[in-house]
Amino acid sequence: MELVTPEIGLVFWTTVSFLVLFFILAKFAWKPIMGAIDERERSIEDALLKAEAAKEEMARLTNENEVLLKQARAERDLILQEARKVKEQIVSEAKESAQKEGARQIELARIEISNQKAIALADVKNQVAALSLEIAEKVLRKQLEDSNRQDALVAELLKEVKL
């Protein structure tokens, strides 16, 4: 039962030793411990403030990045639109040039065909004329073999000619 009911001497010495320990701790350990705790609290607050500032900076940078991304997309769209216009212009110019060149080639072919046709017609006319002369010569030779026929032909021609 001694443990349950302490004696006065034990309570006195326990209180004295506690007060001495408290005084020593208050004099030598309390201020450094409290200083360290205060320092730790300030460093945590500073870290939180820096984290908040970093968070705000990240939000600002994210917003700036989004703005820059929108600008880049707008510039890309503008460049693509200009490239499409240039492509369409080049294609239309190429088509127009090809059509002009095709028309020029067709016109040159028509001229060449008409020249070849004229040459061929002239050649046919020359051949027809030469053939006609040959036939006429042969016919006249046949008819003029006989002198009576010659006299009759001259007389007939003279009748046709009127002076």
Side-chain angles (χ1 to χ4, degrees):
M1 242 355 202
E2 290 181 17
L3 290 176
V4 178
T5 56
E7 292 182 18
I8 291 287
L10 180 63
V11 172
F12 174 76
W13 287 114
T14 305
T15 305
V16 168
S17 63
F18 175 75
L19 289 175
V20 169
L21 180 65
F22 183 75
F23 176 74
I24 292 171
L25 285 176
K27 186 76 173 168
F28 297 108
W30 188 260
K31 287 183 183 178
I33 290 173
M34 289 308 286
I37 289 174
D38 288 341
E39 182 65 29
R40 178 70 178 152
E41 186 179 340
R42 278 194 299 275
S43 69
I44 290 172
E45 286 178 6
D46 287 344
L48 289 174
L49 289 175
K50 287 179 183 177
E52 186 65 31
K55 183 178 176 183
E56 290 174 2
E57 182 68 16
M58 286 298 293
R60 186 184 63 78
L61 289 175
T62 302
N63 289 337
E64 285 180 11
N65 285 343
E66 288 176 6
V67 168
L68 290 175
L69 187 60
K70 286 179 184 177
Q71 289 176 349
R73 285 181 181 156
E75 288 177 14
R76 180 202 64 194
D77 291 342
L78 182 63
I79 289 170
L80 288 175
Q81 186 179 15
E82 289 176 8
R84 283 188 200 110
K85 286 181 182 178
V86 169
K87 179 194 81 163
E88 290 171 1
Q89 182 181 4
I90 289 171
V91 167
S92 66
E93 287 175 359
K95 284 181 181 178
E96 185 178 318
S97 174
Q99 287 176 347
K100 286 181 181 178
E101 182 63 24
R104 189 180 70 79
Q105 291 292 332
I106 290 171
E107 188 60 31
L108 287 175
R110 283 184 186 153
I111 291 170
E112 182 65 25
I113 289 170
S114 102
N115 288 342
Q116 292 296 328
K117 183 179 175 182
I119 290 170
L121 284 175
D123 189 35
V124 167
K125 284 180 184 178
N126 288 339
Q127 287 179 1
V128 167
L131 192 58
S132 297
L133 284 176
E134 278 185 40
I135 291 172
E137 182 183 347
K138 287 182 181 179
V139 168
L140 282 177
R141 283 182 195 240
K142 272 250 192 235
Q143 284 185 351
L144 295 179
E145 285 179 350
D146 185 16
S147 65
N148 289 338
R149 280 188 172 175
Q150 285 179 7
D151 290 337
L153 182 61
V154 168
E156 190 179 319
L157 287 174
L158 286 176
K159 284 181 190 176
E160 289 180 13
V161 176
K162 292 183 182 178
L163 295 177

